[in-house]
Amino acid sequence: MIFVQLLLLVIGFIMLVKGADWFVEGTAGIAGKFGIPQLVIGLTIVAMGTSAPEAAVSITAALKGNAGITIGNVVGSNILNILIILGVTAVITTLSIQSSTIKYEIPYMILITLVLLLMGYTDSYITRPEGGILWTLFLVYLLYLLVLSKEGTKKDASDNRSIVRLLISAVAGGIIIVWGSDITVDSATAIARAFGLSERFIGLTIVALGTSLPELVTSVTAARKGNADIAVGNIVGSNIFNILFVIGTTALITPVIFEAKFLIDSAIAVFTGILLWISIFRTKKLARPWGIVMLLCYGAYFVYLLC
């Protein structure tokens, strides 16, 4: 049994790596063909695609009458996205950040996290009207992206691959990433249980990291291929998408429970956004020292969770 789960774990990781390769190559190629800035691709298609696990878990839970897991799923994932994923990516390679990300996208991410914190503070639920507010903010974000996409870059005439081939690469890569993350989480959870590890430990580590594996492999792969805009846009866009679309949609289906303990987690999510902004404000780069700081901050947060 353990051997089978170990084999599945290896297969899952192979799927994640290969899927990320295809996904990044496909999306970057499409951006070049149409003259769409890679940042826009990162903030939209890549961000929404890699957020599929969080969206699926939260919306399915809401439809089954168990929307209480939504806040923890989203807030925990957003914290991990910045501190672990951008932290690891920055340790591997320095990331160049576009001015619009510093001026608009990261501040917007911080703003909507504060809005979520305020909603949770005023009531123990995210109500349907508040879900409507989140969706309105999501539409504002999409409008901003539409304006940003019109500031296109030059088309890449050197890429001889057809649009159909690039689309197949992007879609197939995205499917393989999500499928691979499911296999990885399930097998790792089974292995952890076989060794007698607690459900709480499994939830805080394997499952939390598992739903963010698509963002991790996509960001690292994009950064190593020189597509830093996709790497950073993926994380910032994913965090915005998680709050506005995932929580907003879930709240429109049914009021979402906001437990008191999530106030601290939401405040930490705000802190991580501010930390990211501070780390890149002067240099427009996310360098290795800041990546190490982010990883240390997550270590401190993890210790807090265990206490």
Side-chain angles (χ1 to χ4, degrees):
M1 185 65 179
I2 291 293
F3 175 77
V4 173
Q5 295 301 333
L6 284 171
L7 181 60
L8 287 173
L9 186 64
V10 172
I11 292 172
F13 277 120
I14 292 172
M15 291 173 68
L16 284 167
V17 173
K18 194 60 184 176
D21 271 339
W22 290 358
F23 192 54
V24 171
E25 287 179 4
T27 51
I30 292 169
K33 286 282 187 181
F34 288 98
I36 302 171
Q38 288 185 1
L39 177 61
V40 175
I41 293 292
L43 288 167
T44 54
I45 299 171
V46 178
M48 294 177 188
T50 56
S51 286
E54 288 90 342
V57 168
S58 296
I59 294 172
T60 301
L63 291 171
K64 292 182 178 180
N66 187 27
I69 68 170
T70 299
I71 300 297
N73 179 30
V74 166
V75 174
S77 178
N78 282 13
I79 293 170
L80 192 144
N81 280 350
I82 292 177
L83 297 184
I84 291 289
I85 297 176
L86 284 184
V88 169
T89 308
V91 168
I92 294 172
T93 181
T94 298
L95 296 170
S96 296
I97 313 295
Q98 286 205 7
S99 296
S100 66
T101 301
I102 300 171
K103 292 179 181 178
Y104 305 115
E105 289 121 35
I106 293 177
Y108 194 68
M109 178 186 72
I110 295 169
L111 173 65
I112 62 171
T113 309
L114 281 168
V115 169
L116 178 65
L117 176 60
L118 181 62
M119 288 178 175
Y121 180 75
T122 55
D123 195 357
S124 58
Y125 287 90
I126 304 297
T127 61
R128 284 192 176 91
E130 289 172 333
I133 291 172
L134 293 177
W135 246 95
T136 300
L137 292 171
F138 183 58
L139 294 176
V140 170
Y141 174 64
L142 292 180
L143 181 62
Y144 162 74
L145 292 177
L146 180 64
V147 173
L148 190 64
S149 67
K150 291 182 178 180
E151 301 174 2
T153 56
K154 293 182 180 180
K155 296 183 179 181
D156 185 6
S158 64
D159 193 338
N160 296 320
R161 293 172 296 178
S162 68
I163 292 294
V164 173
R165 181 179 172 183
L166 292 170
L167 280 171
I168 291 173
S169 176
V171 172
I175 292 171
I176 291 172
I177 287 172
V178 175
W179 190 10
S181 70
D182 282 340
I183 292 174
T184 302
V185 171
D186 289 344
S187 58
T189 300
I191 293 169
R193 283 175 179 156
F195 281 99
L197 298 175
S198 69
E199 292 288 328
R200 185 167 183 264
F201 179 82
I202 292 170
L204 290 172
T205 56
I206 298 170
V207 176
L209 179 60
T211 56
S212 291
L213 277 175
E215 286 93 338
L216 177 59
V217 292
T218 301
S219 293
V220 172
T221 302
R224 296 189 69 174
K225 289 178 177 288
N227 299 315
D229 287 350
I230 289 180
V232 178
N234 170 33
I235 296 305
V236 175
S238 178
N239 282 12
I240 293 173
F241 182 79
N242 282 347
I243 292 175
L244 299 184
F245 178 81
V246 176
I247 295 180
T249 302
T250 307
L252 288 176
I253 295 171
T254 182
V256 177
I257 297 172
F258 197 110
E259 297 177 21
K261 65 181 180 181
F262 290 134
L263 290 173
I264 296 175
D265 295 303
S266 298
I268 292 172
V270 173
F271 163 77
T272 61
I274 295 172
L275 176 65
L276 174 61
W277 187 80
I278 290 173
S279 67
I280 62 177
F281 177 71
R282 291 182 178 274
T283 62
K284 294 185 179 180
K285 293 180 185 293
L286 184 58
R288 181 173 296 167
W290 281 108
I292 294 171
V293 169
M294 289 177 175
L295 293 176
L296 290 173
C297 285
Y298 188 81
Y301 174 63
F302 186 74
V303 171
Y304 155 73
L305 288 175
L306 293 177
C307 294

